[in-house]
Amino acid sequence: MTTTVLQKHALPVLDFLLGEWLELDQLLTRNAFEEHSLDSCQDYLAAASDIAAKFFEPAQRISDLQEPRVAADGSVVLPPESHAAWEAYRSFGFLSARHAQAFGGLELPRVVDLASHVIFGSSGANLVPSMLTEANAALILAHGTERQKRVFAHAELEGRWTGTMAMSESEAGSSLSDITTRASVDGSDHDEDPLGPRYRIRGTKMWISGAEHDLTDNIVHLVLAKIPRPDGTVDPSTRGISLFIVPKLLVDPDGNVLERNDVSLIGLNHKLGNRGIPNTSLAFGAGAWHPRGREGAIGYLVGAPGDGLRQMFHMMNAARTEIGLAAASVGLAGYALSLDYAKQRRQGRPTTTSGKDTSASQVPIVEHADVRRMLLAQKAYTEGAVALALYAARLMDDETTGSVAQAEEASELLDLLTPVVKSWPSEWCLEANSLAIQVMGGAGYTRDYLAEQYWRDQRLNMIHEGTHGIQALDLLGRKVRIRDGALLRALERRVLHTCERAVESGLAEESRSLAQAWAAVLAATDAAWATNDPQDALANATPYMQGFGHVVMAWIHLDLAVTASSSSHAQAGGRLAAMRYFFAYELPKVGAWLEVASRRESVCRDVAADDL
Amino acid sequence: MTTTVLQKHALPVLDFLLGEWLELDQLLTRNAFEEHSLDSCQDYLAAASDIAAKFFEPAQRISDLQEPRVAADGSVVLPPESHAAWEAYRSFGFLSARHAQAFGGLELPRVVDLASHVIFGSSGANLVPSMLTEANAALILAHGTERQKRVFAHAELEGRWTGTMAMSESEAGSSLSDITTRASVDGSDHDEDPLGPRYRIRGTKMWISGAEHDLTDNIVHLVLAKIPRPDGTVDPSTRGISLFIVPKLLVDPDGNVLERNDVSLIGLNHKLGNRGIPNTSLAFGAGAWHPRGREGAIGYLVGAPGDGLRQMFHMMNAARTEIGLAAASVGLAGYALSLDYAKQRRQGRPTTTSGKDTSASQVPIVEHADVRRMLLAQKAYTEGAVALALYAARLMDDETTGSVAQAEEASELLDLLTPVVKSWPSEWCLEANSLAIQVMGGAGYTRDYLAEQYWRDQRLNMIHEGTHGIQALDLLGRKVRIRDGALLRALERRVLHTCERAVESGLAEESRSLAQAWAAVLAATDAAWATNDPQDALANATPYMQGFGHVVMAWIHLDLAVTASSSSHAQAGGRLAAMRYFFAYELPKVGAWLEVASRRESVCRDVAADDL
């Protein structure tokens, strides 16, 4: 088995999180997981680690240097290393791991499935379109017909085909109600197609990841479009949006591949990072080249007309958690790299009361307090982010396999936490990746190391699948308001439970700090909405989310520390140090963020555009 | 005259800073500047703007895409656009602007000279080695012999040759006492060379910017090396370091170029950004290829043996201010770009109490409160940073042309502020450049816009010319301790003067906040040093510097707002908004940073390396 610096660092962290913190043993006693044991889960993660080390890590830099390009025949070519990574991932069955055996799956707990994504994510996040493909299949499994599941989802979970989510357009990114892609029924027999109600789709989509490549022959696009009313108008709101399966290659009802559908690549976006997966602009029904002319691309309706965005959010919420996890994983990779560097690189000597002894040997830079600060900050950001995302995964398991009460509570918590799981790692693991560069100094700024690529790759996570600002509007504008704060109360129970456990573990001071910080979040929520005017409340949604996120992370760190301090785990020292770092250096930042939200600070709203 | 978005934005800012805030008119009444007027200074900046728009902006992306490469003959090739930019810059006389007429200079105030660097820096920071060349010449003018000035500095100020600073080695970056480059006298007549005491230099240097290129034929390296004692040993401390002029091509006493010196390129570093200037590894006296064998490269001592580092700090301090200014300028460029984008790009609609009217047209994104927040933050970070750096430039003018008392006070302030001028813009204009990407969303993440390059270029500034951590040690370890806090008292007088002016301008609340924050800085300084143990005090030097820097910036913003509010300047609204943003969103962060410094928080020092 191949072990890299990264695996050496990540595996014990995952071991602690799953084995001790998230009580995987208890989860495995549920009927749904009867075929699994702690051992089989550990074997699964060991296999993931092995494949990640063999096929993902070596491909990561290559996927950056050999950016996807359009070949003469219009196909998009990925380097052989990406093909090898995809083949290893696909053939082992990682895509279907959490799904039913009927679809080739292992019915693994989500938390184990996503723990493997930490391993792959830190070895080559977005090297291959695995996340999109699985999430696409999961949406079809949730909302598609039996045949749509058998034909499309099954092929995706086996990795014979891949999947995309085609939502944005060049003039409709954050504002999906403005999409101009249109769908109209395809012939009088359109309702009798075995693959689902058949439509013709016309329009162009932008920012579509994985929409053209040579890893698989077929690609399943999930496309948002509006169906015009008989008078030709459309519902201007998001309620007018429907969802369609639009395969790159048409298929017969048994899933055999036929000729091309009228889907064509307009071009590739050239990105700052995250270059492994091509990001495209795509035309549906542009079709001068197509034998059947300009009738539009064939698409099959999923669910009911007008349900498109609601259904897409099934995929989107999963994708947001996955992005938080990917952000955490890339952060973790930078941390492991810079920690390893800091332990080896010798430079300088400590300043003592008697000055510096320049005749002594230089010390490894991990001995310098400021370097340790940057490493401990990275540890707190990245391992905290991994813990938060896996906590969400564990809630997903409760949602599907817990008791009714457990499932209900889990749903509430997931609803509330999803914008935090997406945004917090995106923001703070970017800072972690910047600190990794800083620890490594000039070396970190060169392309001789992956630190700079991690930082570039990471920068995307605050943008895609709903920007930071969109997450903040979701949190303060919707989630904390649902059922008069019911979701907040669900989280409060967990936070206060941790506070109690902390007192029992001799961490009374931290318990008090967390309880106070939580109270400040509640007060800020009320104060932001005191005028009941969204423009007042939401003007500072992002600082509110930053404060909220930091309090959530303080809770996670305290809970981790309590678990570690009551166990004999080798990570106890590290967990306590990361928690203490977070409470000393990070939690005190919360006041500044919540304060502007609380007083509905209006300087940003009020400034005239001409004064900017 | 060519005007770009950037110029349109930058010029009014500079106009306000020089004309109203830094009272250029008063400065120009001094004898030293009797040949200049407000008009001539404005013409100078207009010319800079014109040349920057014509030659720098178009070259900026090209210098990134066409990274310097080593040609077959060992030379390093820059793209034609970089040559054109250098030629335009050089031939206009920007290199010598602040210097004496004897060296082709205009004897311009430093503050006007550096204002032109804002223009060039925001149009193509580090596109050509202008800053290094000028700073190299200035060092020779300060410490060299008359002939060294005439031969080397003069050629640099005319841009016939360029200059470098060759300090770091692969095992001695932040730790300069460990350099292994050695110098030994060259023959019995070594003291009689007209160019200065002649030595032979042997060693290798790392991270040397601009040490090989095809812009000019000759390059003047300023090299740090140790002169062994008769017994072969060297002083292990930095007191053993001497400084040498080592030209790439040897020259006769009149400056005519002769054959190559024994200086050879080992290789180029491949960087994340900042690719315009080649960054090199360089060998002195490697020389198998050299006709005179392995005797070492010829170098001429500058000043006295052992004075090397002290002299180099002349160049280093200037370079640190220039880096702060460059960081500010790149930040400003990103701000101008994203502001322009936000005013044009339409997306979404405001949420009002009655929900969203999706039938209305989409609005320019500058209308969204969160986008305005990101723009106003950028304005506060970048224009504040420009103001801070030009404030330092104005102090330099006081140092050289003010009364004895003015000069003394200016020196104290500069000593104290230099680490802040270097570090604050490096950190916060990086954040500004990240916000520029965020404002632009997916578009900002593509290479279709310069936002991503600004962000990559900017990342270097926290690393070179003394890392962030080194600046923090300088500030808390040295500067605030000099003469029992004399430098702090000098700054305090200015801060409290601003507080008084603010009260008179109706900004009493902000005046109080600033006075309190300043008091917190003083208290944190004392508390950090309460045990008089550097290891206690300096463990949190970086958070201390972050807090210190933010208080300095609050002072700058308040002072700017006071000036603007008492003038009829068109920028008054913007200045007040930026100040209010800073006091509402940024100043409250200070407590968290100063608190850990004050209590000498030891969690980072104490964590075991194995627990990381």
Side-chain angles (χ1 to χ4, degrees), chain B residues 58 154 165 189 237 358 467 493 610:
Chain B
H154 198 174
M165 52 197 298
D189 65 340
S237 78
T358 49
T467 62
R493 285 190 294 276
D610 285 344

Side-chain angles (χ1 to χ4, degrees), chain B residues 288-307:
Chain B
W289 57 270
H290 200 269
R292 291 180 62 184
R294 295 186 162 279
E295 296 171 44
I298 288 173
Y300 305 99
L301 184 70
V302 180
D307 267 2

Side-chain angles (χ1 to χ4, degrees), chain A residues 470-537:
Chain A
I470 293 288
Q471 302 303 319
L473 294 179
D474 183 37
L475 180 67
L476 182 56
R478 288 187 57 242
K479 298 300 176 61
V480 302
R481 307 261 286 167
I482 292 174
R483 293 193 300 285
D484 199 26
L487 280 47
L488 280 173
R489 288 191 295 277
L491 181 57
E492 179 168 70
R493 285 192 294 275
R494 300 238 169 164
V495 169
L496 296 183
H497 179 61
T498 299
C499 288
E500 284 166 26
R501 289 177 69 210
V503 172
E504 290 159 19
S505 302
L507 298 169
E509 195 186 324
E510 287 84 357
S511 171
R512 236 184 343 265
S513 299
L514 176 58
Q516 278 167 8
W518 176 255
V521 165
L522 293 183
T525 313
D526 288 343
W529 281 105
T531 59
N532 210 28
D533 179 344
Q535 299 210 49
D536 283 352

Side-chain angles (χ1 to χ4, degrees), chain A residues 44 51 233 272 459 474 502 581:
Chain A
Y44 180 80
I51 288 175
T233 64
L272 165 58
R459 186 63 189 80
D474 183 37
Y581 165 83

Side-chain angles (χ1 to χ4, degrees), chain A residues 133-300:
Chain A
T133 299
E134 191 276 331
N136 177 307
L139 184 151
I140 295 173
L141 290 180
H143 299 291
T145 64
E146 286 310 309
R147 191 176 290 268
Q148 286 174 342
K149 294 179 196 179
R150 208 160 63 238
V151 170
F152 297 106
H154 198 175
E156 291 185 273
L157 292 178
E158 289 186 350
R160 289 184 283 115
W161 304 347
T162 65
T164 75
M165 53 197 295
M167 301 170 57
S168 296
E169 301 176 3
S170 61
E171 302 306 317
S174 296
S175 174
L176 282 172
S177 59
D178 293 288
I179 59 169
T180 60
T181 299
R182 297 289 177 260
S184 49
V185 295
D186 184 36
S188 55
D189 65 340
H190 73 277
D191 259 347
E192 290 146 39
D193 196 304
L195 291 170
R198 198 177 60 241
Y199 284 73
R200 291 289 185 150
I201 317 287
R202 285 182 204 77
T204 63
K205 294 288 178 180
M206 182 61 170
W207 309 118
I208 313 308
S209 283
E212 191 59 69
H213 59 73
D214 59 347
L215 295 178
T216 56
D217 59 351
N218 208 359
I219 300 175
V220 180
H221 305 295
L222 281 171
V223 181
L224 294 183
K226 290 188 173 185
I227 304 171
R229 292 177 284 224
D231 67 355
T233 64
V234 294
D235 183 328
S237 78
T238 54
R239 285 182 304 275
I241 298 175
S242 302
L243 179 66
F244 301 87
I245 294 171
V246 184
K248 171 183 167 183
L249 304 179
L250 294 169
V251 296
D252 72 18
D254 296 320
N256 297 305
V257 167
L258 309 171
E259 78 270 23
R260 273 187 74 177
N261 198 354
D262 188 358
V263 180
S264 48
L265 180 72
I266 299 174
L268 298 181
N269 292 310
H270 298 286
K271 295 174 286 181
L272 165 58
N274 228 287
R275 298 180 184 173
I277 299 185
N279 184 273
T280 69
S281 174
L282 214 57
F284 296 91
W289 57 271
H290 200 269
R292 293 179 61 185
R294 293 186 166 278
E295 296 170 44
I298 288 174
Y300 305 98

